[in-house]
Each structure stands twice: as structure tokens, then as C-alpha cells.
């Protein structure tokens, strides 16, 4: 096996997804069709998130869940929507922290977190430390996240190590780059679900999704149900992951 293949999993056997990533999209359209404020759509979306976490815990083969909650590009939305989303995040963290912990969930936050308000940064850090030794589902919430920015940050970290004499350029492999991303210590997603009907990544997990299976659904995020999760998992289990190798005999 050549060095380029080292980061690729050995087995292509169809299995249940251990790591699911979700682009939770469609809150605005859900609100539009009901003639309610976008904020109502976002807050309904956060309710669906609670249900989703229960569904994942009830399907213990799911070990990791990565959720796209707010992109770096979402900062360019009108100021009142950004403020509403930040307030929703504040309330969510404060209301859910104890339950997340009771449910043995380990919470991680990925993104350019230093761009968030100081009180939110403190809340994220307190939820992270509260839950860091939990052994159940690991949830990575992507907030102020952009995959290209994440890669740029990783390059900076690597260059600083080279500057300090802790790394030589020839030692940089794909695994070394992975280890400097915000998602270090988390395996790549097996299945990525996007709700809301658009079929694109919108700057989410570009590096990590090299061999991820994609599942797009028209369902708007606030309408997403446990049955929709099962449909995505069922579709995944029908796929054959070859990782560039030949079809299994
Ligand atoms: C996803 O819903 C939530 C965030 C991006 C924060 P949208 O707000 O993008 O909803 P649509 O795509 O406009 O329906
Ligand atoms: C992606 O949705 C970001 C999140 C769901 C958090 P967007 O609604 O921001 O993506 P685009 O603009 O349609 O690509
Ligand atoms: Mg959208």
C-alpha cells in the first residue's frame, strides 16, 4: 500500500454509519410557507435537533454526529437574523447543557469560535468541559465554521511547527493535515445528509468528506423526523463504498 492510501479505511463492507454529518437547511423556507418569521423557523429547527439527538442515542451504532449550525458565510445575513441566531444558540446551550450531560453526550464545537461573542465562547467552553469525559454520542457542532478557513488555519498551525523546528516539510502527509483540522480526533463522516433540497456542501467538511456518502432530501429541516433519519441510513446501507478499489467479489 502506497503512502497516499494510508488515510483510507481498509474495509469497504457495507455497514451502518458510525459518523453522520448533517447540513440542517431549510428553516427560512419552512417559515415562509407558514407566513411566520424566519426566527420561528430557526427555533423550530432547534426543537428538531433535540429529537434528533434522542434518535441518535436510540441508534447506538451512531458514535459521532457533526451538525452544521452556522457557517462563516452566514455572518453576511442581515444583522437581525444573525442576532436572532446567536440568541437562539445562547438559549439552546443554557437550556440543554444539563440534559446533554445526563444523556452522556460529549459536546465539541468546531469553527472559528473566536469570532463569536465572549459570553457565547464561555458557554461553549463550559458545555465542552462539562461533557468532555462522557462516553456516549460525540456531537460536534459547527458554528462560524468554514471548511476553507479551517484548512487555512491548519496550514498556519503546521507552518508554525516547521518554524519552531518541531516538524519538517517532508513529514507532512494527509494524516498530518487531518490532525491539524478542527475535526482532529474525529473519524471522517460516513454519511452526510443535507435537508432543504439543495445539493451542495456550502463550505462544510470539504477535506473530511473525500469518501463520504451523500444523501440529499427535499425535506426542510424543521420537518425532519426520525423516519427521515432512518430513510437516509437505509439508503446508505444499500451503497457500496469502494474507496477506489475494485468491487467486492
Ligand atoms: C438553515 O436554514 C439555518 C442556517 C443557515 C443558520 P436557512 O436559514 O438557510 O433556511 P433556507 O435555506 O433559507 O430555507
Ligand atoms: C448552509 O446553509 C449552512 C447551514 C445550514 C448552517 P446555507 O443556507 O447557508 O447555504 P447556501 O447559502 O444555500 O449555500
Ligand atoms: Mg439555507
Amino acid at each position: 500500500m502506497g503512502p497516499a492510501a494510508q488515510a483510507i479505511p481498509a474495509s469497504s463492507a457495507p455497514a451502518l454509519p458510525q459518523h453522520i454529518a448533517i447540513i440542517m437547511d431549510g428553516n427560512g423556507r419552512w417559515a415562509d410557507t407558514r407566513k411566520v418569521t424566519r426566527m420561528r423557523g430557526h427555533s423550530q429547527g432547534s426543537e428538531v435537533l433535540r429529537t434528533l439527538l434522542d434518535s441518535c442515542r436510540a441508534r447506538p451504532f451512531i458514535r459521532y454526529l457533526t451538525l452544521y449550525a452556522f457557517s462563516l458565510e452566514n455572518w453576511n445575513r442581515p444583522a437581525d437574523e444573525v442576532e436572532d441566531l446567536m440568541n437562539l444558540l445562547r438559549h439552546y446551550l443554557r437550556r440543554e447543557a444539563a440534559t446533554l450531560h445526563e444523556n452522556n453526550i460529549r459536546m465539541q464545537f468546531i469553527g472559528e469560535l473566536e469570532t463569536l461573542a465572549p459570553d457565547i465562547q464561555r458557554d461553549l467552553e463550559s458545555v465542552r468541559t462539562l461533557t468532555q469525559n462522557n462516553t456516549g454520542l460525540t456531537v460536534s457542532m459547527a458554528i462560524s465554521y468554514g471548511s476553507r478557513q479551517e484548512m487555512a488555519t491548519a496550514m498556519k498551525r503546521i507552518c508554525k511547527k516547521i518554524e519552531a523546528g518541531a516538524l519538517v516539510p517532508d513529514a507532512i502527509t494527509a494524516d498530518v493535515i487531518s490532525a491539524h483540522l478542527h475535526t482532529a480526533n474525529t473519524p471522517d463522516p460516513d454519511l452526510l445528509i443535507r435537508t432543504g433540497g439543495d445539493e451542495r456542501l456550502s463550505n462544510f467538511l470539504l477535506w473530511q468528506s473525500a469518501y463520504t456518502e451523500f444523501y440529499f432530501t427535499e425535506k426542510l429541516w424543521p420537518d425532519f423526523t426520525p423516519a427521515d433519519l432512518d430513510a437516509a441510513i437505509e439508503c446508505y446501507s444499500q451503497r457500496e463504498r469502494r474507496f477506489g478499489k475494485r468491487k467486492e467479489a
Side-chain angles (χ1 to χ4, degrees):
M1 182 187 277
Q6 278 172 5
I8 303 296
S11 165
S12 62
L16 294 165
Q18 139 172 276
H19 181 178
I20 299 180
I22 307 185
I23 301 176
M24 307 180 290
D25 196 21
N27 297 348
R29 281 163 284 168
W30 183 90
D32 286 347
T33 58
R34 279 166 184 73
K35 306 218 177 339
V36 296
T37 62
R38 287 183 74 86
M39 183 54 188
R40 278 280 300 123
H42 293 313
S43 99
Q44 185 60 32
S46 79
E47 294 300 325
V48 167
L49 184 51
R50 300 172 88 187
T51 312
L52 174 80
L53 293 181
D54 291 339
S55 303
C56 290
R57 289 174 45 243
R59 293 160 182 73
F61 56 86
I62 305 171
R63 304 295 304 144
Y64 299 90
L65 184 68
T66 300
L67 301 164
Y68 206 6
F70 188 83
S71 74
L72 264 183
E73 290 76 19
N74 289 151
W75 288 111
N76 299 318
R77 293 194 179 191
D80 58 342
E81 183 174 2
V82 171
E83 198 182 313
D84 283 346
L85 284 165
M86 291 300 142
N87 284 330
L88 188 61
L89 180 60
R90 283 185 176 95
H91 289 134
Y92 186 85
L93 291 168
R94 284 173 197 167
R95 196 187 61 181
E96 297 297 318
T99 310
L100 292 165
H101 187 43
E102 272 162 32
N103 290 339
N104 199 22
I105 290 174
R106 183 164 67 119
M107 290 297 296
Q108 309 185 137
F109 301 93
I110 58 171
E112 307 310 307
L113 304 180
E114 66 287 348
T115 60
L116 296 164
D119 69 299
I120 296 183
Q121 290 186 46
R122 280 194 297 276
D123 288 350
L124 297 184
E125 186 52 19
S126 77
V127 174
R128 190 192 68 76
T129 51
L130 174 71
T131 63
Q132 65 185 340
N133 295 320
N134 289 344
T135 54
L137 181 68
T138 295
V139 176
S140 302
M141 205 181 269
I143 306 169
S144 195
Y145 174 91
S147 192
R148 288 180 166 181
Q149 185 61 43
E150 175 188 37
M151 287 191 238
T153 303
M155 299 311 150
K156 258 186 247 174
R157 288 178 184 155
I158 290 171
C159 289
K160 283 185 180 153
K161 283 193 183 167
I162 292 174
E163 226 171 33
L167 187 69
V168 292
D170 280 344
I172 300 173
T173 59
D175 287 347
V176 168
I177 294 174
S178 294
H180 288 81
L181 296 170
H182 299 319
T183 52
N185 307 322
T186 305
D188 290 339
D190 299 301
L191 168 64
L192 183 145
I193 300 170
R194 182 175 186 142
T195 62
D198 286 316
E199 303 192 351
R200 56 174 171 263
L201 284 175
S202 302
N203 206 10
F204 189 45
L205 304 179
L206 304 181
W207 172 275
Q208 298 87 340
S209 63
Y211 273 103
T212 297
E213 298 293 330
F214 294 148
Y215 180 86
F216 298 106
T217 169
E218 294 290 330
K219 266 289 175 84
L220 303 172
W221 178 251
D223 289 328
F224 194 78
T225 64
D228 294 319
L229 176 67
D230 286 335
I233 293 169
E234 170 61 21
C235 181
Y236 171 89
S237 70
Q238 304 298 318
R239 309 239 181 123
E240 188 192 32
R241 304 182 75 189
R242 289 185 294 281
F243 301 103
K245 291 179 260 176
R246 289 268 294 272
K247 190 170 158 54
E248 302 259 291

